[in-house]
Amino acid sequence: MKRLQLTIFTLLMVLPIMAQNQVIKNLPYIDQRRFHYGFALGIGMANVSFEHTGEGWCAECPEFNPGFSVGLVGDMALTEFLNLRCSPTLHFVSRKVAFINNLGDNTIEQDLKSCNIEIPLSLKVSTRRLNNYRPYAIAGASIQYDLSKDKETPIVFKRFDYCIHIGIGSDTYLPFFKFCPELRFNLGLADMIDHKRKGLKDETLMQYTNAIAKARNKSISLILYFE
């Protein structure tokens, strides 16, 4: 009985290893390319962090709001485990901002919509390939430009933003292409509030702008790369 138990235990330990060794590797030479390209689809949740001046109103994003993105990706292999990536992306984002006065008896809301062009530059650090999977981590910086701007609203965001990002993902090797799901965290560095409000017609809206000292974008995204 002890010998049978030992044999079963040994088989249970060895069979998974044998199964891993017998996996057929898809696209075995794809990572030997110096350059390659692809496209990306993404969904994300956007938010804004506010700092206040204490002048009458407080602003907050009561909830994360979903958005989506489409883009391209270009990848250059620097070493076996390090890649330089550029992925120009178009983001469609909507954020709900609630303004609450200091007495707590009055609230107004604004739907802050954006259509952003983002150009990120990232370094991708990968592990060794494990059969048809290759986990990686990514970090970098980007610049964003907002194509949409509405002047007659409680607050107006500037067009340019500068961001840093980090993320994790995995290259999945399919028979004809690589599928790479990636979870990315994005943090804006610039104060996005337009404090000057040139061309504003309704001067009563300045009370909401004056109540905010700084506002920074932040988001979390799930990006699906096809390379």
Side-chain angles (χ1 to χ4, degrees):
M1 182 61 68
K2 291 184 177 180
R3 290 184 179 180
L4 180 59
Q5 291 176 347
L6 180 59
T7 302
I8 294 174
F9 178 79
T10 304
L11 287 173
L12 291 174
M13 295 297 294
V14 172
L15 284 176
I17 299 174
M18 293 177 62
Q20 288 184 354
N21 292 335
Q22 292 174 359
V23 169
I24 298 175
K25 288 188 177 182
N26 297 320
L27 306 173
Y29 307 109
I30 192 171
D31 291 330
Q32 296 181 8
R33 299 174 298 177
R34 178 69 170 173
F35 300 96
H36 72 269
Y37 309 93
F39 68 94
L41 302 173
I43 56 174
M45 306 294 283
N47 205 337
V48 183
S49 61
F50 292 99
E51 297 179 21
H52 299 92
T53 62
E55 297 185 15
W57 295 85
C58 291
E60 63 178 14
C61 285
E63 58 189 21
F64 280 88
N65 294 286
F68 70 96
S69 59
V70 293
L72 303 174
V73 59
D75 185 289
M76 180 176 68
L78 302 177
T79 68
E80 182 181 358
F81 303 104
L82 186 64
N83 295 63
L84 181 65
R85 294 167 68 85
C86 182
S87 50
T89 306
L90 184 62
H91 299 279
F92 300 91
V93 180
S94 178
R95 291 147 294 181
K96 182 179 291 184
V97 181
F99 297 89
I100 306 170
N101 67 358
N102 288 343
L103 298 178
D105 59 359
N106 192 12
T107 302
I108 67 167
E109 293 185 348
Q110 176 185 345
D111 191 6
L112 189 63
K113 295 182 178 180
S114 301
C115 179
N116 297 328
I117 294 177
E118 181 185 23
I119 303 179
L121 195 63
S122 311
L123 283 176
K124 174 183 175 183
V125 182
S126 305
T127 66
R128 291 190 180 277
R129 178 171 174 172
L130 306 172
N131 292 323
N132 286 317
Y133 301 95
R134 194 180 192 192
Y136 66 83
I138 195 166
S142 65
I143 183 172
Q144 292 188 7
Y145 180 77
D146 191 354
L147 299 175
S148 59
K149 191 173 184 180
D150 189 354
K151 294 183 178 180
E152 299 300 316
T153 53
I155 58 172
V156 171
F157 271 20
K158 298 175 183 177
R159 290 190 181 274
F160 281 100
D161 193 11
Y162 308 92
C163 309
I164 57 174
H165 59 264
I166 59 172
I168 55 174
S170 178
D171 293 342
T172 304
Y173 298 82
L174 301 179
F176 301 105
F177 61 90
K178 281 202 304 183
F179 172 65
C180 313
E182 178 182 304
L183 185 64
R184 179 179 295 189
F185 302 89
N186 203 72
L187 178 63
L189 301 178
D191 174 20
M192 295 303 297
I193 294 294
D194 183 355
H195 295 279
K196 297 181 179 179
R197 303 295 298 270
K198 292 182 179 180
L200 179 65
K201 297 179 182 179
D202 187 356
E203 293 294 334
T204 62
L205 296 176
M206 281 300 299
Q207 60 181 315
Y208 306 106
T209 298
N210 293 334
I212 301 174
K214 293 181 180 179
R216 292 186 174 89
N217 287 318
K218 56 183 179 180
S219 64
I220 178 172
S221 302
L222 175 63
I223 308 171
L224 307 177
Y225 290 102
F226 301 84
E227 304 175 17

